[in-house]
Amino acid sequence: MEYAFLILLFYILLTILGVMLYEHLEQRRMARIPVQLPVLNDREKQAKLNELIELFGFAYDGRQNIFYSRMDSWQRKYGYGRMFDEAAAPLNMIIDCEPVYFEYKDKRWLIEFWKGQYGIATGAEVGVYYLPKEKLWDTMLLPELFYQSVSDEDTLAVQFVLWKKGRGMFLRRGYHWWLTGFSLGEYSNPKDLVMDIEITLPEAQMRDAFLMGLQEAGYTNEEISIVRNTVWIHFTKPHTRQPITRGRLFSRVKQWENRRNCRLFAMVTADYTHAYDKLMALKARMPLLYHKLEGLGRNRFASGDQ
């Protein structure tokens, strides 16, 4: 009986190894498929790339080789809800979430920071949202409510630098409601990423309300700096409760998949340097992985559109 079990186990392991070897060889074969790309200069490639990703609410920064959200991206109409953070991990977005709530004038404000692995991209975000006070019913329900994206006149001057193990990855700045940056093909663990965030508030009253929100979230004086109405935040490990879906085992499984997909992306696009060429090669050689990349734009803050 014991020998029969060992033989069965041996055949199961042999089958698994055979499947893995076949997948590896098939991936290497697909990575060598010839791709006919149009002859374009860098400016034309940039224009083509922005035209391609505009549909998903993003644009491309060729200087830093990153993708970022547009001011007029369609995700703006959905605002923010806690359910988006809960939905992130199942969609292969293993990210640290840090919501900061505070009251200012006639609104309940939410400024949230994110950093981590977004499928086959490493990225970071700062979002600015609010909710009119007349819509508040119970303080206990506030995190569960949907916050609308701020209007143009209420956007804030935001800047952040994303660091990975002491190496500066990219910088983003501007007046925005959702300032983001994503480095395609880069794999990271959220714990290895640090955000240095700078937010300038329009007046001292709002600055003080925001500072109180940071303190309530768990930030100490060592993690915050202030000059006039500008606040600097050093975001390393999140202080607030993380989504239930960010369980340790589940996150490890998803990160294993993300790491594998980043390696596949590197293998399939190794012949090219420009992001447009890489995406076209990915689409031709590994369409399933290309569609996963498209999902980054569709899924982020778009649960209502699924």
Side-chain angles (χ1 to χ4, degrees), residues 37 265-266 269-270 272-283:
L37 296 177
F265 177 82
T269 64
Y272 305 95
T273 56
H274 196 280
Y276 175 74
D277 294 335
K278 285 180 177 289
L279 287 181
M280 293 301 96
L282 183 68
K283 186 176 183 179

Side-chain angles (χ1 to χ4, degrees), residues 283-303:
K283 186 176 183 179
R285 291 172 168 172
M286 205 161 285
L288 289 179
L289 188 55
Y290 178 82
H291 292 316
K292 283 181 178 288
L293 176 60
E294 287 184 325
L296 170 65
R298 287 198 303 266
N299 293 329
R300 194 67 181 128
F301 299 134
S303 295

Side-chain angles (χ1 to χ4, degrees), residues 3 28 33 48 65 75 84 98-99 114 116 132 138 155 158 175 187 189 193 202 208 216 239 254 260 264-265 282:
Y3 288 112
R28 291 183 65 86
I33 294 175
K48 285 279 189 182
N65 191 26
Q75 290 93 334
F84 292 135
E98 194 79 295
W114 299 269
D138 186 336
T155 56
V158 181
Y175 281 87
Y187 174 81
N189 284 311
L193 302 174
D208 293 341
E216 290 175 354
H239 295 284
K254 288 297 184 179
R260 180 200 62 184
L264 287 176
F265 177 82
L282 183 68

Side-chain angles (χ1 to χ4, degrees), residues 235-247:
F235 178 31
T236 55
K237 182 178 179 180
H239 295 284
T240 55
R241 178 176 63 87
Q242 295 303 285
I244 297 174
T245 52
R246 271 292 305 276

Side-chain angles (χ1 to χ4, degrees), residues 196-233:
D196 282 319
I197 306 164
E198 174 186 317
I199 301 177
T200 300
L201 293 311
E203 61 180 22
Q205 182 182 355
M206 187 175 186
R207 176 205 62 197
D208 293 341
F210 178 52
L211 288 171
M212 185 174 297
L214 285 169
Q215 292 171 354
E216 290 175 354
Y219 279 81
T220 64
N221 291 336
E222 288 72 29
E223 298 168 294
I224 303 171
S225 298
I226 310 163
V227 175
R228 299 184 181 87
N229 293 335
T230 299
V231 180
W232 282 269
I233 306 102

